[in-house]
Amino acid sequence: MSASSPLLNELIEALRCLPGVGGKSAQRMAFHLLERDRQRGLRLARALEQAMQRIGNCTRCRNFSEEPVCALCASASRDRHVLCVVESPTDLAAIEQATGYRGQYFVLLGRLSPLDGMGPQELGLDLLAQRLGEGEIEEMIIATNPTVEGEATAHYLAQLARAGGIRPTRLAHGVPLGGELEYVDRGTLAHAFGSRQALD
Amino acid sequence: MRIEQQPAYVLHARPYRETSLLLECLSRDHGRLGVVARGVRRARARTSRAQLEPFRPLLLDLLLKGELATLAAAEDAGLPARLHGDAGLAGLYLNELVVRFTSRQDPHPALFDAYARTLARLAADEAPGWPLRRFERDLLEAVGYGLQLDAEAGSGLPLAADGWYVYQVEHGPVRCPPGRAHALRGADLLAFAQDRRPAPEADLALRAMMREAIRHHLGGEPRTWQMLAAMARR
């Protein structure tokens, strides 16, 4: 980068930490903020600083939260008998937006993956076991991704649930709505075929 | 170097750059390969992500340059091995062993065959223990750490079928009094060497023997063991 000021260089370098932002985009962002949008640039700086320093993980569900217990876990209107386990906060957001689910969540922040060094401890399963042990939960909805690692995680979680006398359920896998069988991946089709449902 | 229609399995995938994946693959003729699959995390990728999941027999077209290969095309070479429950964890264990015991671009055709056979056995709902022991034995053999299972350590005398032995890593079976912890009958060691199922009473000692050898050659424990141990404690 041939920027003339060390501060500008620093800003451009710092922006490159964002996903999908290379040198060129970082430079464009930096120039944009400096040339036309200093107010909002300052707002961004403040928000970023506060978020980085104050957002931690909820002590009950491990989702991002600046309080020790997040709003979702603290809410009195959520059903305390159902717990949905997801891999990441983005999965939680997707379920919140797409379904009318009113129960609670647990966020693993990953999946079992020996080669990535992700084991039960890294996924906070001690905390999960503790929550299951509180006795309120009746059903655990396992919403890990339908990947090899996600399935292994689901198997592990199901055993954890059964050991605690809780009914484990798993999201169904199938053909996407509005899709055509011809173009569906073989594995998905095999799975959908295997777990077909009776029409009544 | 262009590699075409190479039989391979994906062992592991991690996100790479914005839309790509960095795969670890086990290929038949080129050993383990690091493969960059460009753009496969885009919504309309030519090769779907599902196709690059582990346990699927694939035929890969690759461009190998230096340390990494680039994926040109991937097609299915058969039905995916569907590993349910414990078999799924066993599959992850196979992948961890292969990645940790092999170096990239070091061909092990025998290992590839053993891997494919083991997936088929696990998918056929066999209890994972025996298929895993056979794989561990074949893996160590393929990478040059093969166990001496049919002759006594030191003397090289043939094992007595009714004798008792403990296995010493890097030496071989050593005679011991019956009933010692992790002792194995000569008959069970010979059966294992000839790929016949040893007596079920020998399962635990057999596992201990293989674990000791793996721990020794790896200089540590596979992560999957810790996972399985944590699961067993529940």
Side-chain angles (χ1 to χ4, degrees):
Chain A
M1 216 50 56
S2 59
S4 48
S5 117
L7 264 181
L8 185 55
N9 272 336
E10 168 71 20
L11 175 60
I12 291 171
E13 252 333 283
L15 284 167
R16 291 185 55 174
C17 75
L18 293 166
V21 176
K24 201 106 190 182
S25 317
Q27 184 179 314
R28 197 163 48 223
M29 288 175 184
F31 283 149
H32 172 84
L33 291 173
L34 286 170
E35 282 171 21
R36 337 212 144 101
D37 229 344
R38 292 201 179 215
Q39 275 313 314
R40 283 201 274 186
L42 282 170
R43 191 176 141 207
L44 173 67
R46 279 192 300 271
L48 199 57
E49 169 137 33
Q50 295 225 356
M52 289 306 115
Q53 285 180 352
R54 289 181 39 209
I55 295 181
N57 296 97
C58 169
T59 52
R60 284 185 65 75
C61 73
R62 309 220 314 157
N63 198 5
F64 294 130
S65 163
E66 59 254 47
E67 308 294 337
V69 174
C70 72
L72 248 162
C73 287
S75 165
S77 65
R78 307 287 299 204
D79 185 348
R80 294 180 170 275
H81 303 300
V82 200
L83 184 76
C84 178
V85 184
V86 294
E87 287 185 15
S88 72
T90 47
D91 297 338
L92 186 155
I95 291 178
E96 276 294 289
Q97 284 158 19
T99 69
Y101 179 64
R102 296 298 301 161
Q104 299 199 315
Y105 289 96
F106 189 85
V107 185
L108 299 170
L109 301 174
R111 67 208 74 83
L112 286 183
S113 175
L115 283 167
D116 294 312
M118 297 297 285
Q121 224 179 352
E122 287 74 16
L123 301 183
L125 296 193
D126 293 344
L127 180 61
L128 179 62
Q130 193 185 320
R131 274 196 76 174
L132 298 182
E134 288 169 8
E136 278 190 322
I137 298 160
E138 289 161 10
E139 178 186 354
M140 177 158 98
I141 303 171
I142 302 171
T144 53
N145 289 325
T147 59
V148 160
E149 287 159 355
E151 291 299 338
T153 312
H155 171 63
Y156 196 104
L157 290 171
Q159 295 208 332
L160 196 66
R162 283 190 207 104
I166 291 153
R167 185 165 67 97
T169 55
R170 177 91 176 103
L171 294 196
H173 310 302
V175 181
L177 291 181
E180 289 174 48
L181 295 191
E182 185 186 350
Y183 297 112
V184 171
D185 142 79
R186 273 196 208 181
T188 309
L189 189 54
H191 217 124
F193 199 84
S195 50
R196 63 190 178 277
Q197 292 177 337
L199 290 175
D200 37 24
Chain B
M1 176 173 56
R2 283 198 75 87
I3 300 172
E4 280 174 358
Q5 298 285 298
Q6 176 63 215
Y9 288 91
V10 172
L11 302 170
H12 183 249
R14 81 189 63 181
Y16 179 68
R17 303 242 174 98
E18 190 58 359
T19 58
S20 304
L21 285 178
L22 179 56
L23 310 171
E24 287 298 331
C25 300
L26 178 64
S27 71
R28 191 188 61 197
D29 303 326
H30 302 270
R32 177 157 72 86
L33 292 172
V35 176
V36 176
R38 289 233 165 84
V40 292
R41 287 161 68 215
R42 261 188 225 121
R44 283 199 198 91
R46 209 154 49 93
T47 306
S48 80
R49 224 149 145 204
Q51 202 176 14
L52 298 175
E53 280 278 290
F55 315 143
R56 291 177 78 126
L58 298 172
L59 290 172
L60 301 182
D61 289 351
L62 302 165
L63 189 64
L64 185 59
K65 244 195 243 168
E67 170 81 351
L68 288 177
T70 315
L71 182 70
E75 59 181 275
D76 285 309
L79 288 175
R82 291 184 60 191
L83 306 184
H84 298 285
D86 286 341
L89 294 174
L92 292 182
Y93 175 51
L94 296 189
N95 292 357
E96 184 184 9
L97 284 183
V98 173
V99 169
R100 294 186 60 177
F101 269 104
T102 60
S103 335
R104 281 183 179 161
Q105 299 179 31
D106 197 359
H108 298 292
L111 175 62
F112 181 86
D113 294 339
Y115 181 86
R117 268 199 310 274
T118 309
L119 285 188
R121 285 171 186 150
L122 291 172
D125 280 336
E126 248 185 88
W130 174 231
L132 288 181
R133 292 302 89 73
R134 297 163 96 178
F135 181 75
E136 289 164 342
R137 179 198 60 205
D138 296 343
L139 169 85
L140 291 176
E141 182 74 45
V143 299
Y145 297 134
L147 270 59
Q148 175 184 321
L149 295 166
D150 52 2
E152 273 186 41
S155 70
L157 292 170
L159 297 192
D162 57 354
W164 287 88
Y165 298 89
V166 285
Y167 194 90
Q168 287 188 354
V169 181
E170 302 233 57
H171 295 285
V174 177
R175 277 265 195 180
C176 72
R180 235 185 88 178
H182 301 324
L184 282 155
R185 263 187 187 285
D188 291 324
L189 283 167
L190 289 168
F192 191 41
Q194 292 154 13
D195 202 31
R196 284 181 290 111
R197 181 110 163 74
E201 307 85 79
D203 280 355
L204 282 180
L206 208 58
R207 187 178 78 165
M209 173 177 85
M210 295 315 289
R211 286 201 161 194
E212 193 51 44
I214 288 169
R215 196 181 286 122
H216 176 83
H217 292 300
L218 216 51
E221 296 199 341
R223 295 278 312 193
T224 323
W225 290 0
Q226 296 161 20
M227 239 162 75
L228 296 174
M231 196 146 128
R233 274 202 301 274
R234 304 232 175 255

